[in-house]
Amino acid sequence: TAVEHAGGPLIPIRFGRVDTSTESECPPEGNLPDANAPFAGGRDPDAATHLRRVFYRMGFNDQEIVALSGAHTLGRAFKERSGTVNEGYGDRTATDYTRSDAKNIRSDNKSGVGMSGGKSWSKDW
């Protein structure tokens, strides 16, 4: 996990939705937050309002929104997933920090960042 790569503990993760049993119970595609302003086409005045509007309807509280947002701070964006960046999967378009052979970025001094490619959310990572 991103937390483990940053020097934290390995946290077991179970992927997938547990609150629905059929596809029809899932919200339609495109209901995730906007990456950049203007948020919701200008309806939401700032990022906090926008995140609350999106995630409150999914049952999240502020603490859960912050935890999810923090996980994305350690993570990366991929062209194939979000379309918000030009960098895609693999070393061909990876940055210095997201290459499979990246050095001196892990607390255990091992090389690599898990799946290579993408662009870090932070300019310093």
Side-chain angles (χ1 to χ4, degrees), residues 1-11 74-75 104-110 112-114 125:
T1 65
V3 172
E4 182 183 20
H5 284 294
L10 172 63
I11 301 171
L74 288 173
N104 302 318
I105 60 170
R106 290 177 49 168
S107 65
D108 60 6
N109 294 319
K110 292 180 182 176
V113 291
W125 177 233

Side-chain angles (χ1 to χ4, degrees), residues 72-90 93-99 113 115-125:
H72 281 80
T73 299
L74 288 173
R76 289 173 273 157
F78 292 87
K79 180 179 182 177
E80 296 86 350
R81 292 184 183 173
S82 68
T84 61
V85 299
N86 293 324
E87 294 80 4
Y89 297 129
T93 60
T95 68
D96 290 343
Y97 300 104
T98 64
R99 297 182 58 78
V113 291
M115 183 173 64
S116 63
K119 182 174 183 180
S120 309
W121 289 108
S122 169
K123 293 175 184 173
D124 297 325
W125 177 233

Side-chain angles (χ1 to χ4, degrees), residues 6 28 30 45 47 50 53 55 58 64 84 96 99 118 120:
H50 184 58
R53 186 182 307 274
F55 288 110
M58 296 180 193
E64 293 163 333
T84 61
D96 290 343
R99 297 182 58 78
S120 309

